[in-house]
Amino acid sequence: KHSNPLQDHKELYEQSNMVFQGSFIVSGVVRAVVVSTGNATEYGKLAQLVGTTQLDSPVQKKIDHLITRIVIAIMAIALLAFILQLLRGYDVSEALRFVLALAVSAVPEGLPIAISVILVLGMRRLAEKKALVRSMAAIENIGLVTLIATDKTGTLTKNKLRVQDVWELHQDGDLQDVAAVMRRATLVSASNKSYDPLDDAFAEFAAQYSRQSEQLQQVNQLPFDQKVAMSGAVYRSSNGYELFIKGAPERIMHASNLSSQQQQRIEQQLHHLTGQGLRVIAIATQHAKTAGTKFEEVLQKPLTFIGLVAVADELRAEAPAAIRAARAAGVNVAMITGDHAETAYAIGKKIGLLEHREEVFDTRNLKTLNADQEAAVLQSKVFARVTPEDKYKLLQLFKTKHITAMTGDGVNDVPALSKSHIGIAMGDGTQVAKEAGDIVLLDNNFATIIDALRTGRVIFANIRKMLFYLLATSTGIVATMVASLLIGLPLPIVAIQVLWINLVTDTALVIPIGLEPSEDDVMKQPPRKPNQPILDTYMIVRVVLVGITMALITLAIYKYFLLHYSEGYAQTVAFMMLVAMQWANAFNARSDIRSAFSRLKVINTKFAVGLCISIALQMLAIFGPLATALHVEPVALAHLVWPSLLAGAVVVMVAELHKAWCKLRVHNS
């Protein structure tokens, strides 16, 4: 920072004579004039962008929409069933009792609890992978993300500068001499600690080539001077003073005594290094008789040009693979950085994010875009020269086409974090950024976002499986009851049995289905469209097919036993069959597309335990002390086993045929 006036309007990052709220002074002394307070400060403007509006969860919207339709349908069916029972001569209180039991069974009232349980367990799994989920809605939504907008520094890189290359003007091959210049050009505090990442990088590199020699004593420091773009230190030697300087290559070249040939060589090497996206620093020395305290004094004599040092924020080794995984999953990745466009392009190409310079967008042009040009911006993969306001505008633009996850670590990222569908804060970021984020990456690693994406997709897929299971079984019971009333049959099961089926099968099996292990292609499927319903046409058709199959089989076998045995005997057989078909349908629900038989190879211990619990409870109902309360009559074991096995097998085969048909349709399309 400096106190010189600036001409014309400057972008925020160009206002080098301003200090902003939240800044830290790590070296030097400053006297400042307060020009804004409260909401008029840049900090205050960011706070106004945050606001208090809460975004509704896309998954929750889909579930709410589906449940609303289900409730309306159940109300209509319940009214129809009530009228039919009255027409059949049932007592009003008995008819009302049955309709209420039917409605309770049909509405998936256990779904919110089941979803909450699997979300909490998913949050625990992600915490083990260094992703702290602060909102349960975030883990639902991360599986729907179609675009990840990520910072470069600290996420795709390690946020640690390292020396990548060293070039000497007088190439004698002795890096020890160059390393000595680099070490002495760093600025350290009285405790021998540096506060500048560049100084840390120089010191780390120099330590690799250190050698025992006469130690010079530092007598003065030359803090970074904006006018000359240099910094350095002064050491006392046996015959005077030695100055060790680092700074902008162009400035040090201009201040050095160089021949035209040497200048040409330096410029060629400078162009070569900057073309690789590297930050290039020049180093030089000077012998002096006095210890200069200001660069105005130092630069009265020419410098001795030593060489160029190329540094870069080290890329995370896992970043390219994580980006490839995101792309394979159909998720776009956009890198957002304050770097120059050329530097951003070089880094984007190195991590495999882009191929052409046209895919880099300089956000200084964002203010002049029209609606048609905004669509073209969405095709860019790297965004350079981004300010906090630009980041917020980009987010608003992304959200018109995508469900967006946005990363950030500083106060200036808070508006974008709070307004994105998924705000992902860095673990070493500011506390306010963590508070604004939905997920906190404890390891600041982009690969952890992909782990969260995978977990979110698995959870979303399992929510669909739970819905299919609940709706198919509810449809089977409702269709059985309504059809029996329409065709004049006595009710196959009584109200207490309806509630028991709902208790035994839903409670024991829904959560285990929600904890089903991931399928192999979960990260090879494109993300679902933001406006796509949670259950697509294929799944709704399968729900109807399975439900109607349950109803037809139950009514057919119930009619058969009704002709040969008492009504109570036939009801007991129908009661057992409906439960057995729900067990069979639980196997169907383990995969949307894959065969239930292939999923037998995938171990889900929780599913096995839930099934055993459900079977044990049903045996208590049929053969135990609960039989009287549930209106169960003694029935021959063969009449329970064979109809149940037949009914379960038919339910599985109907779902298998539909899955095969779906695969064929997808393959042909």
Side-chain angles (χ1 to χ4, degrees), residues 325-357:
R327 285 184 164 181
V331 177
N332 297 299
V333 179
M335 185 180 83
I336 295 178
T337 176
D339 289 341
H340 187 275
E342 284 299 315
T343 303
Y345 165 71
I347 295 171
K349 190 172 183 179
K350 189 175 293 185
I351 60 176
L353 190 56
L354 50 73
E355 291 293 333
H356 309 291
R357 279 183 171 80

Side-chain angles (χ1 to χ4, degrees), residues 61-349:
K61 284 182 179 179
K62 295 173 189 290
I63 293 177
D64 289 347
H65 182 68
L66 177 64
I67 296 300
T68 300
R69 291 188 171 189
I70 291 173
V71 169
I72 293 173
I74 293 301
M75 289 175 62
I77 292 171
L79 180 61
L80 174 62
F82 184 72
I83 293 172
L84 289 174
Q85 287 186 91
L86 293 180
L87 293 176
R88 291 279 305 277
Y90 283 82
D91 181 70
V92 174
S93 61
E94 179 64 26
L96 186 60
R97 186 183 302 113
F98 178 81
V99 166
L100 290 175
L102 188 66
V104 169
S105 176
V107 175
E109 73 284 346
L111 185 64
I113 297 174
I115 291 177
S116 297
V117 170
I118 66 170
L119 289 178
V120 168
L121 293 176
M123 292 167 70
R124 188 176 70 177
R125 290 198 301 272
L126 281 179
E128 294 171 355
K129 297 180 180 180
K130 306 299 182 183
L132 182 63
V133 181
R134 300 183 63 254
S135 164
M136 283 202 297
I139 202 168
E140 293 179 79
N141 300 338
I142 191 72
L144 301 179
V145 162
T146 59
L147 182 141
I148 301 172
T150 176
D151 281 335
K152 171 187 71 76
T153 303
T155 310
L156 298 173
T157 67
K158 295 183 177 180
N159 196 18
K160 181 177 176 60
L161 287 178
R162 286 188 181 275
V163 174
Q164 305 293 322
D165 198 0
V166 174
W167 179 83
E168 302 172 76
L169 177 59
H170 305 288
Q171 298 177 353
D172 56 11
D174 188 357
L175 281 178
Q176 291 182 334
D177 292 336
V178 177
V181 174
M182 292 171 60
R183 183 177 65 252
R184 291 164 179 163
T186 59
L187 303 180
V188 295
S189 66
S191 60
N192 204 35
K193 178 177 175 59
S194 169
Y195 293 95
D196 188 339
L198 179 61
D199 283 346
D200 288 339
F202 271 42
E204 183 179 345
F205 178 83
Q208 301 175 37
Y209 298 93
S210 62
R211 64 180 178 184
Q212 297 299 323
S213 62
E214 180 187 356
Q215 294 296 316
L216 301 180
Q217 180 186 1
Q218 186 182 116
V219 295
N220 193 20
Q221 289 187 351
L222 298 170
F224 183 78
D225 189 321
Q226 178 77 20
K227 295 178 181 178
V228 296
M230 299 178 199
S231 67
V234 183
Y235 289 77
R236 180 181 286 113
S237 65
S238 57
N239 58 347
Y241 296 91
E242 297 291 335
L243 280 66
F244 299 90
I245 297 170
K246 65 181 186 299
E250 296 85 356
R251 298 295 185 91
I252 290 185
M253 285 172 59
H254 180 73
S256 301
N257 189 10
L258 298 170
S259 66
S260 58
Q261 184 179 7
Q262 288 175 327
Q263 287 186 357
Q264 186 177 6
R265 286 178 56 205
I266 295 170
E267 289 172 354
Q268 287 176 348
Q269 187 63 24
L270 179 62
H271 180 74
H272 170 70
L273 294 173
T274 54
Q276 299 177 50
L278 300 173
R279 179 183 174 188
V280 182
I281 307 296
I283 53 176
T285 62
Q286 185 189 84
H287 177 75
K289 294 181 179 180
T290 59
T293 58
K294 294 183 179 179
F295 274 106
E296 288 85 347
E297 304 171 14
V298 171
L299 296 180
Q300 291 179 3
K301 291 177 57 178
L303 304 178
T304 301
F305 194 95
I306 301 298
L308 301 174
V309 180
V311 297
D313 192 353
E314 187 178 1
L315 294 175
R316 290 185 180 271
E318 60 274 21
I323 289 173
R324 288 195 298 271
R327 285 184 164 181
V331 177
N332 297 299
V333 179
M335 185 180 83
I336 295 178
T337 176
D339 289 341
H340 187 275
E342 284 299 315
T343 303
Y345 165 71
I347 295 171
K349 190 172 183 179

